[in-house]
Amino acid sequence: MPNIDNSPRYDVIAIGNAVVDVISPCQEELIEELSMNRGGMTLVDEQRSSELYDAMGPATETSGGSAANTLAGLATLGLQCAFIGQVADDQLGDVFKHDIRATGIDFDTPVRTGEPSTGRVLIFVTPDGERTMNTFLGAGQYLPAAALDEELIADAAVLYLEGYLWDPEEPRRAMRRAIQVARDAGRKIAFTASESFVIDRHGDDFRDMIEGGVIDILFVNEAELATLTGEDDFEAGLAMVAPKVPVLVATRSEKGAVAIANGERAEVAAEPINKVVDTTGAGDQFAAGFLSGHVKGASLADCLLRGAVCAAEVISHYGPRPIVDTKELVAKRLG
């Protein structure tokens, strides 16, 4: 049950795709040969997913999903988190459940029986570290509102929503219901746009939520901001959105990031690293670092620095989740 004094049990609860990432290095020629969208994320059906998997070289399998990756980062940073997402009653579903719970994240969404299978993301990483993702959403795209634990949602300071999951109709209805539950409980709504193609398809929904004051914290990258606003000029895009959301966070890859909160602006440079190995999860971990400071009342500049440190850590190795103690890294960087 929610606490009587309305203080949240969880720092962040997220709703997102419950998928397993399959990551493999490849040469540039393979991207062209398989007609993939280099550097982007493409939704594929189960047959296309199988074809791409067969074409992959040796791969690493790890539980993923954008929002789940962010929660894994938050848990590493010491925050209390819970996840809502749907897997099938199959081997990949068992892998996902084990991995997310092993990080200390509460996850009790009922599994879905029958077809389709648990979702997966096939990630091809070229020598420059760029990742090309092909996503089969699987069981996750049928997450119903009935699967929501509304008491859990009301018991979290922040409800974090993954834009990727806005695309299928059933989870979109579930997320709308979750927003209402969180709002009624006086909690904050954080939203990550995820990818420009999602904005192309559902931009009117997102703009309506922004105009209606539904979103408290909006995460976008530079390309997503341009798609959302129709403005190619970064500063013009910021000027259009910032007055409409309490906190706007815009990442710019190697150019760092900008955050604007209630008129206050802060910027951070990208953290230097020896080599970019794999950009998978960079935005997810930036969001984790930022939110880890935000929920604790840190300054806007500190929140951005936390995000930059976490993003730098994850792009220095394969995989979308931290492999070292980011809590220690952040503490050292903050001094």
Side-chain angles (χ1 to χ4, degrees):
M1 296 291 290
N3 295 325
I4 294 175
D5 64 0
N6 204 39
S7 61
R9 174 185 173 192
Y10 296 100
D11 296 303
V12 180
I13 187 169
I15 302 178
N17 281 307
V19 299
V20 175
D21 288 343
V22 183
I23 304 173
S24 176
C26 76
Q27 296 303 310
E28 293 282 355
E29 292 77 14
L30 188 62
I31 302 295
E32 182 175 351
E33 179 185 329
L34 296 174
S35 301
M36 290 187 286
N37 176 26
R38 187 187 189 282
M41 198 288 288
T42 304
L43 290 176
V44 299
D45 59 21
E46 196 154 10
Q47 180 178 346
R48 171 67 167 166
S49 176
S50 296
E51 292 170 355
L52 293 175
Y53 182 76
D54 289 342
M56 286 183 119
T60 300
E61 296 184 357
T62 179
S63 294
S66 177
N69 290 337
T70 295
L71 287 191
L74 284 164
T76 302
L77 291 164
L79 277 71
Q80 297 298 310
C81 303
F83 180 69
I84 296 173
Q86 187 167 251
V87 297
D89 186 14
D90 57 18
Q91 183 178 357
L92 284 182
D94 290 342
V95 169
F96 183 90
K97 287 185 291 182
H98 172 270
D99 284 357
I100 197 165
R101 290 169 179 165
T103 64
I105 297 166
D106 284 355
F107 174 56
D108 296 305
T109 308
V111 300
R112 187 177 193 271
T113 58
E115 298 293 334
S117 57
T118 295
R120 70 211 65 143
V121 183
L122 305 179
I123 303 171
F124 293 76
V125 184
T126 44
D128 61 353
E130 186 62 84
R131 85 285 185 272
T132 297
M133 300 188 295
N134 301 272
T135 302
F136 170 60
L137 291 174
Q141 65 185 320
Y142 297 101
L143 175 74
L148 299 178
D149 186 332
E150 296 190 357
E151 290 186 357
L152 208 66
I153 294 167
D155 222 359
V158 175
L159 169 65
Y160 182 75
L161 302 174
E162 176 185 327
Y164 285 133
L165 200 59
W166 198 265
D167 199 52
E169 182 178 352
E170 199 161 7
R172 185 164 65 248
R173 288 199 298 266
M175 293 168 91
R176 287 191 184 279
R177 174 56 188 163
I179 289 170
Q180 188 60 56
V181 172
R183 278 280 172 227
D184 290 346
R187 308 309 189 189
K188 291 183 178 180
I189 311 298
F191 190 89
T192 177
S194 294
E195 187 82 23
S196 289
F197 92 88
V198 181
I199 301 171
D200 284 335
R201 291 167 63 92
H202 303 286
D204 288 344
D205 280 353
F206 300 161
R207 286 182 279 269
D208 284 348
M209 289 193 292
I210 290 169
E211 293 286 346
V214 172
I215 298 173
D216 298 295
I217 308 165
L218 176 64
F219 291 95
V220 291
N221 63 27
E222 192 168 10
E224 292 157 4
L225 180 65
T227 304
L228 183 67
T229 62
E231 284 285 350
D232 291 330
D233 182 77
F234 180 68
E235 291 296 330
L238 290 177
M240 288 181 65
V241 179
K244 301 173 183 177
V245 293
V247 181
L248 171 64
V249 183
T251 57
R252 309 184 75 189
S253 300
E254 72 279 0
K255 292 179 284 186
V258 175
I260 302 174
N262 300 312
E264 176 192 355
R265 176 173 174 145
E267 300 186 31
V268 67
E271 289 286 293
I273 62 170
N274 292 329
K275 181 183 179 182
V276 175
V277 175
D278 174 17
T279 57
T280 308
D284 301 335
Q285 295 311 320
F286 192 99
F290 186 93
L291 286 172
S292 73
H294 181 80
V295 298
K296 301 300 183 184
S299 70
L300 199 60
D302 279 2
C303 291
L304 281 175
L305 184 56
R306 288 167 177 266
V309 169
C310 293
E313 188 281 333
V314 82
I315 66 175
S316 67
H317 58 79
Y318 281 116
R321 299 182 179 182
I323 61 173
V324 301
D325 186 353
T326 49
K327 191 175 183 180
E328 182 177 339
L329 290 179
V330 167
K332 287 182 178 179
R333 190 66 177 82
L334 291 174

